[in-house]
Amino acid sequence: MSPIPLRLCAALLLLAGCASDDAPDGSAAGAGAGAGAGAGMGGAGAGMASSELAGQPAPGTQEDLAVSVGDRVFFDFDSVVLNEEATRVLDGQAAWLKQYPDVVVTIEGHADERGTREYNLALGDRRANAVRNYLMALGIDPERILTISYGEERPADPGNNEAAWAQNRRAVTRVATTG
């Protein structure tokens, strides 16, 4: 028997061991699910948090914010008004920030490419501050919320059409990194 089929079997067994045991509702399917994660793999994953082993982002991180409640809100053309969808996301962000009281965030304000550079920087600043003010009104300490405007300088979509511009008219909440 050639070594190739043995390697293939070993790879398939390894992949089968990595399959998720999560039920559709996100709970573990069996008691102790994941309790032996890393066993039989030479200790691989020994220093990893259980959330990382399960494919979940570490609590209180940018990835956790994005997955749990969303990290961005969008604006209409030439507007700083927070629409219903934006306030829903920001309500979730405020609850998330209350859950992680040591987290500091930076709100990035962005604009689409239409308008002058100076106008778009000012518009991005107003958007970032609209988000900051909303979060503060929900009880988040202003010392935990920084703002910056990138105007049109960092487009999410470099396209030159309404669909791209709609993605670029945004405010993004970023978890500040320390260290």
Side-chain angles (χ1 to χ4, degrees):
M1 181 179 258
S2 83
I4 293 176
L6 289 175
R7 288 183 190 149
L8 180 60
C9 289
L12 290 174
L13 286 173
L14 183 61
L15 287 173
C18 294
S20 173
D21 289 329
D22 289 348
D25 66 357
S27 62
M41 294 191 296
M48 297 175 77
S50 62
S51 63
E52 292 173 291
L53 288 173
Q56 299 294 320
T61 62
Q62 180 68 38
E63 295 78 17
D64 183 33
L65 173 66
V67 169
S68 299
V69 298
D71 64 354
R72 63 198 60 211
V73 296
F74 298 94
F75 295 87
D76 290 334
F77 174 70
D78 200 28
S79 175
V80 298
V81 174
L82 297 167
N83 61 29
E84 186 176 324
E85 174 65 14
T87 58
R88 186 190 62 73
V89 170
L90 295 175
D91 289 345
Q93 286 185 13
W96 187 90
L97 286 164
K98 289 175 182 176
Q99 186 177 356
Y100 301 103
D102 294 331
V103 170
V104 174
V105 295
T106 299
I107 310 297
E108 300 175 349
H110 299 269
D112 65 37
E113 65 186 32
R114 297 172 291 179
T116 65
R117 181 178 185 280
E118 294 77 19
Y119 181 82
N120 287 334
L121 282 170
L123 181 58
D125 183 64
R126 292 194 319 269
R127 287 175 173 163
N129 278 297
V131 169
R132 181 177 191 266
N133 291 339
Y134 189 86
L135 292 173
M136 287 172 22
L138 294 176
I140 304 304
D141 182 350
E143 296 293 318
R144 297 177 58 200
I145 311 168
L146 310 171
T147 62
I148 189 168
S149 175
Y150 290 113
E152 64 190 70
E153 302 301 318
R154 294 187 178 186
D157 186 330
N160 190 2
N161 55 50
E162 183 53 45
W165 295 330
Q167 292 300 305
N168 296 333
R169 297 188 303 259
R170 69 196 190 284
V172 180
T173 304
R174 298 265 183 223
V175 172
T177 56
T178 58

